[in-house]
Amino acid sequence: MSGRGRLVVVSGPSGVGKDTVLRALFALDPKLRYSVSYTTRTPRPGETDGVSYSFVSEPAFQRMIDAGEFLEWATVHGNLYGTSLARVRECLERGEDVVLKIDVQGAAQLRGRVPEAIFIFLLPPSVEELKERLRSRDTEDVESLATREADAVRELAEAERYDHQVVNDQVERAAREILAVVAASRGGNVGEEGR
Ligand code: 5GP
């Protein structure tokens, strides 16, 4: 994984507002690139193939695993998700910073593989607020909500393994904080960010 661009890994529990904060982040800095992941999950209403995710079948995903096409991949909430090595590499080699929205298992794989990446964990203002946000989303059925609540609490315990913890108390503020972290890493001390 060489090249001049930086890899920015953003994790956070379901319902913390990752998509909203990332939208604000890309509005603040249109030069940042988003890595569209592959998933076997069914598209939700309003999601476009190739924009939100590339939606693929399980056999197709498995073939990509076998061919070594993923930078990382994991099973999240019962579905497969993976980051395309080729897509990320292309951006980095063009000198572009790439943002990955991945879960804690994927981030753990990257700590070994791309130690110079910037690892950011998005936190809710409180656990109660997070559960409330999860319940108010109408995209999940009851079983999936229970899984996501349990996963969310487990994911929160991983926050301290990240270089930076950003609280999503206000979308715009959180996005600016992430941008500041990325900008600071561009300024130098690249070698010091590894772990
Ligand atoms: P959702 O299905 O709600 O869009 O995403 C569910 C979870 O999958 C989120 O925590 C998200 O960060 C994670 N995720 C999305 N894409 C990837 C990926 O490419 N790799 C990994 N490891 N996790 C991903």
Side-chain angles (χ1 to χ4, degrees):
M1 257 309 144
S2 61
R4 289 163 297 131
R6 310 296 314 270
L7 203 56
V8 183
V9 175
V10 179
S11 299
S14 189
V16 76
K18 292 188 292 288
D19 290 323
T20 319
V21 170
L22 291 184
R23 252 197 309 278
L25 177 69
F26 291 115
L28 286 172
D29 186 355
K31 289 200 294 295
L32 286 174
R33 291 289 164 259
Y34 179 65
S35 159
V36 177
S37 293
Y38 285 83
T39 185
T40 59
R41 141 161 109 55
T42 313
R44 298 189 187 121
E47 284 186 330
T48 309
D49 187 36
V51 178
S52 320
Y53 288 101
S54 292
F55 296 97
V56 293
S57 67
E58 279 203 37
F61 196 100
Q62 190 58 53
R63 277 195 297 277
M64 293 181 72
I65 294 175
D66 296 342
E69 291 179 23
F70 289 119
L71 176 58
E72 61 72 39
W73 66 271
T75 303
V76 188
H77 314 314
N79 294 298
L80 292 161
Y81 293 83
T83 301
S84 160
L85 182 57
R87 287 178 180 176
V88 167
R89 189 178 270 157
E90 258 173 47
C91 293
L92 294 182
E93 285 175 356
R94 278 199 299 263
E96 296 166 344
D97 296 328
V98 187
V99 178
L100 308 185
K101 182 197 74 171
I102 63 175
D103 86 314
V104 295
Q105 307 168 75
Q109 294 170 44
L110 292 187
R111 274 190 203 102
R113 209 164 166 191
V114 194
E116 69 277 18
I118 304 164
F119 293 88
I120 298 173
F121 196 91
L122 200 58
L123 285 166
S126 71
V127 175
E128 266 324 298
E129 197 154 321
L130 180 69
K131 288 188 175 173
E132 197 45 53
R133 282 193 210 173
L134 277 174
R135 280 180 215 126
S136 64
R137 290 204 328 197
D138 56 9
T139 48
E140 324 302 342
D141 57 33
V142 173
E143 190 185 358
S144 162
L145 175 63
T147 311
R148 279 172 190 249
E149 275 197 16
D151 286 353
V153 171
R154 248 198 317 276
E155 289 222 334
L156 282 177
E158 296 276 316
E160 63 196 29
R161 299 185 63 196
Y162 287 67
D163 302 321
H164 306 274
Q165 291 86 21
V166 173
V167 178
N168 183 19
D169 45 3
Q170 263 200 326
V171 171
E172 184 78 14
R173 195 210 61 75
R176 285 191 187 281
E177 190 177 337
I178 293 176
L179 197 59
V181 165
V182 176
S185 82
R186 276 189 205 125
N189 296 334
V190 170
E192 288 172 26
E193 275 166 18
R195 45 193 49 223

